[in-house]
Amino acid sequence: MLPQSFTERMQGLLESEYEEFLASFEHEKYQALRLNPLKKDDMSVITEKVKQTFQLQPVPWAENGYYYTKEDQPGKHPWHEAGLYYIQEPSAMAPVTLLSPQPGERILDLCAAPGGKSTQIASAMEGEGLLVTNEIHPARAKILSENVERMGIRNACVLNETPEHLADIFEEYFDRILVDAPCSGEGMFRKNEVACEEWSPENVQLCADRQDGILECAARMLVPGGRLVYSTCTFAPAENEGSISRFLAKHEEFEIVPIDKKALGIPEGCDGIPGCVENPAPGIEGTLRLWPHKLRGEGHYAAVLQKKGELPEGYQPVCATGTEKGIPAKNLAKDWAEYFAFAKETFSEKLMGEAGLCTAGEGFLAFGDNLYRMPERMPGVKGLKVLRPGLHLGTLKKNRFEPAHALALALCPKDVKHVWNLSVEEAAAYLKGQTFSAEGEKGWYLICVDDISLGWGKLAGGIMKNHYPKGLRK
């Protein structure tokens, strides 16, 4: 049952379209997944294989986004645990398309959990640059960190901070910022009954006030010439056109970038609505409303803002914590000799010849007995609540190095000397923690399903010991 004050407001907003909008609540929700190009150099082969397994249709506004049917169960396939795709509501894929992330940039996802949009940003960045992905709630930040790991992302720093603290540290630092703001969730009523039960006009206002504060923080962190995308999953004007209009009234240095809906495959009638709020910002109709009665997805709103000005040539932003120095090169080879011995035994000659995971230079960071490879130009971590400062390489245990699950998921078969490829049925047993008989050279093996990395195994005495994390076993 939809709240009465909600339906009355929507009737006034939609007028003749209201009955069609109301009827959309009786339709089944649309489900989608987004393939992860970080897991495969050539996506065409695996895309074709996934299409043969599930009944997929493209999501018009998202590269690598596909609808699947209720008969499909991609969440139960081993490919899901391998990070080959992320299951994501189709409308929720639009904001990152509008953000248009580029390799080598500094990008912030300010309200990031559970991680769908962060992992979409990382896919577009192709492992180059710095992605700072943040979530204020500790439990949700942990889920965010786990999804960053599952998708094999190397260049992300996962934080558990307030927007205010980040704004004090990262003044005019990021090239692009996504604010997928906490909201009243009206667009999820069809999908989530709890969101409907918890709704109230007072909560809408509370969310709008919170969004104003978050946008203020984001504005401080964006470089001149940078792009800010604001999005919600609500229909409430106060949280959509209202939030943007209030923000622009205070910030003349920002302007709306009109969204080309036709180029995204979005039907007519999905423009922002100037008349739904007092004092609408100029160009507010250039923002985007995704309506469930007009397209195959839930209700969303998005606006693209540009900060006026441009950066001087060669400009390098510096945050208040400086740049993380990491482990000095002179100490690295000595203190982490076990890691480099593991790398020499495990990694392919090609990977060993590349700068990055195997080069004893700058870029490595230790947290206790855990070793990480930092993203490019990693900000100083002192004073920040860091859950994941880059790619977790592994842990030092009693003079031996045990590789991290995150490292396995960030590697491809060509990166290692020893690969063990499993069938889908065998992979399901591996995910439960089962060992299996195997013959070959002893040592660490990258366990794969359809040549997609799934985890580690260690072969000795004809038995492949299972190193899939116990906390993740099915």
Side-chain angles (χ1 to χ4, degrees):
M1 179 70 72
L2 296 171
Q4 183 178 348
S5 53
F6 168 76
T7 57
E8 289 173 354
R9 186 239 288 157
M10 294 308 298
Q11 195 165 6
L13 194 64
L14 285 166
E15 298 178 340
S16 63
E17 291 185 25
Y18 175 69
E19 292 302 326
E20 192 181 353
F21 167 77
L22 203 59
S24 73
F25 284 83
E26 304 303 318
H27 302 160
E28 288 192 6
K29 65 180 185 289
Y30 293 100
Q31 302 175 102
L33 58 82
R34 186 173 36 75
L35 293 172
N36 178 15
L38 298 178
K39 298 294 292 191
K40 200 76 176 173
D41 288 338
D42 182 1
M43 282 297 290
S44 59
V45 175
I46 199 67
T47 299
E48 195 57 40
K49 185 149 192 159
V50 177
K51 284 182 177 179
Q52 290 169 5
T53 305
F54 307 125
Q55 301 174 64
L56 302 184
Q57 291 185 334
V59 175
W61 50 83
E63 186 179 14
N64 297 317
Y66 295 91
Y67 296 100
Y68 62 88
T69 68
K70 63 179 181 180
E71 289 77 28
D72 297 320
Q73 294 186 311
K76 295 184 177 180
H77 199 288
W79 288 336
H80 180 266
E81 306 314 313
L84 182 58
Y85 45 72
Y86 190 101
I87 294 174
Q88 189 175 16
E89 197 282 311
S91 294
M93 299 179 188
V96 173
T97 299
L98 298 173
L99 187 69
S100 188
Q102 302 298 315
E105 294 182 326
R106 291 181 174 91
I107 299 178
L108 170 65
D109 187 355
L110 186 52
C111 315
K117 295 177 178 68
S118 283
T119 59
Q120 190 177 356
I121 292 169
S123 294
M125 294 179 76
E126 300 175 0
E128 298 177 19
L130 170 68
L131 170 60
V132 174
T133 175
N134 178 70
E135 173 57 43
I136 190 171
H137 298 289
R140 285 170 55 79
K142 185 174 182 292
I143 295 168
L144 168 64
S145 184
E146 289 168 353
N147 279 320
V148 165
E149 174 177 280
R150 181 171 63 86
M151 302 302 277
I153 296 166
R154 298 187 183 193
N155 62 322
C157 175
V158 182
L159 302 180
N160 171 214
E161 283 290 353
T162 66
E164 291 78 11
H165 189 209
L166 293 182
D168 287 341
I169 290 172
F170 294 104
E171 192 83 29
E172 293 196 338
Y173 187 84
F174 293 103
D175 301 305
R176 298 175 198 262
I177 298 177
L178 176 64
V179 176
D180 186 43
C183 69
S184 56
E186 295 173 3
M188 295 292 116
F189 282 179
R190 178 170 64 174
K191 183 180 174 184
N192 185 351
E193 290 183 8
V194 175
C196 188
E197 292 166 3
E198 293 179 348
W199 182 90
S200 70
E202 293 75 21
N203 189 45
V204 169
Q205 187 57 50
L206 187 70
C207 290
D209 293 342
R210 185 189 299 130
Q211 289 152 6
D212 290 350
I214 293 171
L215 277 170
E216 287 296 324
C217 295
R220 292 172 57 192
M221 292 188 276
L222 192 68
V223 299
R227 172 172 287 208
L228 189 158
V229 170
Y230 173 83
S231 62
T232 72
C233 57
T234 189
F235 302 115
E239 301 178 66
N240 295 338
E241 291 91 345
S243 287
I244 294 300
S245 296
R246 292 190 301 274
F247 174 77
L248 290 176
K250 294 180 183 176
H251 292 275
E252 293 183 356
E253 75 276 22
F254 279 85
E255 59 189 356
I256 291 173
V257 177
I259 296 168
D260 187 344
K261 284 91 171 177
K262 187 175 181 181
L264 294 174
I266 292 170
E268 292 183 4
C270 290
D271 302 325
I273 306 172
C276 70
V277 292
E278 292 183 16
N279 303 314
I284 199 73
E285 64 278 0
T287 62
L288 173 68
R289 276 183 172 268
L290 297 176
W291 295 104
H293 64 288
K294 289 182 177 291
L295 42 77
R296 299 170 66 192
E298 305 304 316
H300 268 67
Y301 175 82
V304 180
L305 303 178
Q306 188 91 12
K307 195 172 189 177
K308 297 173 186 175
E310 56 184 44
L311 293 174
E313 191 173 342
Y315 174 77
Q316 290 294 331
V318 178
C319 63
T321 54
T323 302
E324 186 59 50
K325 298 293 190 290
I327 305 169
K330 62 181 180 181
N331 297 345
L332 187 63
K334 174 172 64 73
D335 296 344
W336 291 91
E338 292 84 355
Y339 167 70
F340 291 101
F342 158 83
K344 189 174 181 181
E345 292 170 5
T346 308
F347 295 155
S348 66
E349 288 185 15
K350 183 178 186 300
L351 189 62
M352 288 297 292
E354 295 174 355
L357 300 182
C358 320
T359 310
E362 292 184 358
F364 291 86
L365 185 66
F367 272 71
D369 292 330
N370 291 283
L371 186 66
Y372 290 82
R373 180 68 185 179
M374 300 186 294
E376 302 167 26
R377 299 166 297 184
M378 172 79 169
V381 298
K382 189 175 181 181
L384 289 170
K385 296 176 187 173
V386 182
L387 275 71
R388 188 175 296 269
L391 176 62
H392 187 199
L393 299 175
T395 309
L396 200 58
K397 295 185 175 181
K398 297 178 182 177
N399 297 320
R400 64 181 174 84
F401 184 82
E402 187 162 302
H405 184 55
L407 176 59
L409 293 172
L411 296 173
C412 296
K414 64 180 177 60
D415 295 327
V416 296
K417 292 178 180 176
H418 303 306
V419 177
W420 198 277
N421 215 24
L422 302 176
S423 67
V424 170
E425 293 75 18
E426 290 168 336
Y430 170 79
L431 292 172
K432 293 176 181 176
Q434 294 181 18
T435 60
F436 53 90
S437 300
E439 294 296 333
E441 191 175 341
K442 70 176 185 177
W444 289 100
Y445 280 68
L446 189 65
I447 306 298
C448 298
V449 56
D450 293 315
D451 292 321
I452 307 294
S453 59
L454 195 58
W456 291 110
K458 195 171 187 182
L459 182 57
I463 298 293
M464 185 73 76
K465 186 178 178 183
N466 192 317
H467 280 263
Y468 194 75
K470 291 181 180 177
L472 298 177
R473 291 178 184 179
K474 299 295 181 181

